[in-house]
PDB file of all heavy atoms in Angstrom:
ATOM      1  N   ALA A 137      28.680  10.686 -41.067  1.00 81.00           N
ATOM      2  CA  ALA A 137      29.711  10.551 -42.096  1.00 81.00           C
ATOM      3  C   ALA A 137      29.127  10.138 -43.446  1.00 81.00           C
ATOM      4  O   ALA A 137      29.759  10.347 -44.497  1.00 81.00           O
ATOM      5  CB  ALA A 137      30.749   9.519 -41.645  1.00 81.00           C
ATOM      6  N   SER A 138      27.937   9.534 -43.439  1.00 85.00           N
ATOM      7  CA  SER A 138      27.366   9.016 -44.689  1.00 85.00           C
ATOM      8  C   SER A 138      26.442   9.998 -45.399  1.00 85.00           C
ATOM      9  O   SER A 138      25.971   9.720 -46.493  1.00 85.00           O
ATOM     10  CB  SER A 138      26.586   7.729 -44.401  1.00 85.00           C
ATOM     11  OG  SER A 138      25.412   8.013 -43.645  1.00 85.00           O
ATOM     12  N   VAL A 139      26.147  11.156 -44.785  1.00 89.00           N
ATOM     13  CA  VAL A 139      25.197  12.103 -45.363  1.00 89.00           C
ATOM     14  C   VAL A 139      25.786  12.731 -46.628  1.00 89.00           C
ATOM     15  O   VAL A 139      26.904  13.259 -46.622  1.00 89.00           O
ATOM     16  CB  VAL A 139      24.826  13.206 -44.347  1.00 89.00           C
ATOM     17  CG1 VAL A 139      23.942  14.257 -45.007  1.00 89.00           C
ATOM     18  CG2 VAL A 139      24.114  12.601 -43.142  1.00 89.00           C
ATOM     19  N   GLY A 140      25.033  12.648 -47.725  1.00 87.00           N
ATOM     20  CA  GLY A 140      25.437  13.267 -48.982  1.00 87.00           C
ATOM     21  C   GLY A 140      24.448  14.335 -49.403  1.00 87.00           C
ATOM     22  O   GLY A 140      23.406  14.545 -48.754  1.00 87.00           O
ATOM     23  N   ALA A 141      24.740  15.007 -50.493  1.00 87.00           N
ATOM     24  CA  ALA A 141      23.887  16.098 -50.970  1.00 87.00           C
ATOM     25  C   ALA A 141      22.470  15.623 -51.273  1.00 87.00           C
ATOM     26  O   ALA A 141      21.498  16.367 -51.072  1.00 87.00           O
ATOM     27  CB  ALA A 141      24.519  16.737 -52.210  1.00 87.00           C
ATOM     28  N   ASP A 142      22.337  14.363 -51.730  1.00 85.00           N
ATOM     29  CA  ASP A 142      21.011  13.839 -52.078  1.00 85.00           C
ATOM     30  C   ASP A 142      20.154  13.578 -50.832  1.00 85.00           C
ATOM     31  O   ASP A 142      18.930  13.409 -50.957  1.00 85.00           O
ATOM     32  CB  ASP A 142      21.148  12.541 -52.879  1.00 85.00           C
ATOM     33  CG  ASP A 142      21.760  12.771 -54.253  1.00 85.00           C
ATOM     34  OD1 ASP A 142      21.714  13.920 -54.724  1.00 85.00           O
ATOM     35  OD2 ASP A 142      22.292  11.800 -54.829  1.00 85.00           O
ATOM     36  N   ASP A 143      20.772  13.520 -49.662  1.00 87.00           N
ATOM     37  CA  ASP A 143      20.029  13.245 -48.425  1.00 87.00           C
ATOM     38  C   ASP A 143      19.439  14.512 -47.810  1.00 87.00           C
ATOM     39  O   ASP A 143      18.606  14.437 -46.913  1.00 87.00           O
ATOM     40  CB  ASP A 143      20.944  12.582 -47.382  1.00 87.00           C
ATOM     41  CG  ASP A 143      21.491  11.249 -47.853  1.00 87.00           C
ATOM     42  OD1 ASP A 143      20.692  10.455 -48.384  1.00 87.00           O
ATOM     43  OD2 ASP A 143      22.705  11.007 -47.707  1.00 87.00           O
ATOM     44  N   LEU A 144      19.876  15.683 -48.278  1.00 89.00           N
ATOM     45  CA  LEU A 144      19.461  16.944 -47.656  1.00 89.00           C
ATOM     46  C   LEU A 144      18.012  17.286 -47.985  1.00 89.00           C
ATOM     47  O   LEU A 144      17.528  16.915 -49.057  1.00 89.00           O
ATOM     48  CB  LEU A 144      20.389  18.069 -48.123  1.00 89.00           C
ATOM     49  CG  LEU A 144      21.857  17.917 -47.743  1.00 89.00           C
ATOM     50  CD1 LEU A 144      22.689  19.039 -48.372  1.00 89.00           C
ATOM     51  CD2 LEU A 144      22.037  17.923 -46.237  1.00 89.00           C
ATOM     52  N   PRO A 145      17.298  17.992 -47.090  1.00 89.00           N
ATOM     53  CA  PRO A 145      17.765  18.398 -45.763  1.00 89.00           C
ATOM     54  C   PRO A 145      17.723  17.242 -44.756  1.00 89.00           C
ATOM     55  O   PRO A 145      16.931  16.312 -44.923  1.00 89.00           O
ATOM     56  CB  PRO A 145      16.774  19.495 -45.369  1.00 89.00           C
ATOM     57  CG  PRO A 145      15.506  19.101 -46.076  1.00 89.00           C
ATOM     58  CD  PRO A 145      15.930  18.479 -47.363  1.00 89.00           C
ATOM     59  N   VAL A 146      18.575  17.328 -43.753  1.00 90.00           N
ATOM     60  CA  VAL A 146      18.593  16.309 -42.704  1.00 90.00           C
ATOM     61  C   VAL A 146      18.403  16.982 -41.353  1.00 90.00           C
ATOM     62  O   VAL A 146      18.646  18.186 -41.187  1.00 90.00           O
ATOM     63  CB  VAL A 146      19.905  15.500 -42.691  1.00 90.00           C
ATOM     64  CG1 VAL A 146      20.070  14.704 -43.965  1.00 90.00           C
ATOM     65  CG2 VAL A 146      21.104  16.403 -42.451  1.00 90.00           C
ATOM     66  N   LEU A 147      17.966  16.176 -40.401  1.00 88.00           N
ATOM     67  CA  LEU A 147      17.791  16.637 -39.032  1.00 88.00           C
ATOM     68  C   LEU A 147      18.844  15.980 -38.169  1.00 88.00           C
ATOM     69  O   LEU A 147      18.948  14.742 -38.135  1.00 88.00           O
ATOM     70  CB  LEU A 147      16.392  16.271 -38.530  1.00 88.00           C
ATOM     71  CG  LEU A 147      15.977  16.800 -37.158  1.00 88.00           C
ATOM     72  CD1 LEU A 147      15.918  18.328 -37.163  1.00 88.00           C
ATOM     73  CD2 LEU A 147      14.635  16.224 -36.744  1.00 88.00           C
ATOM     74  N   VAL A 148      19.671  16.788 -37.508  1.00 90.00           N
ATOM     75  CA  VAL A 148      20.642  16.280 -36.543  1.00 90.00           C
ATOM     76  C   VAL A 148      19.935  16.207 -35.195  1.00 90.00           C
ATOM     77  O   VAL A 148      19.334  17.187 -34.746  1.00 90.00           O
ATOM     78  CB  VAL A 148      21.877  17.206 -36.451  1.00 90.00           C
ATOM     79  CG1 VAL A 148      22.884  16.641 -35.455  1.00 90.00           C
ATOM     80  CG2 VAL A 148      22.521  17.377 -37.817  1.00 90.00           C
TER      81      VAL A 148
END
Side-chain angles (χ1 to χ4, degrees):
S138 69
V139 175
D142 293 340
D143 299 314
L144 298 175
V146 296
L147 186 64
V148 181

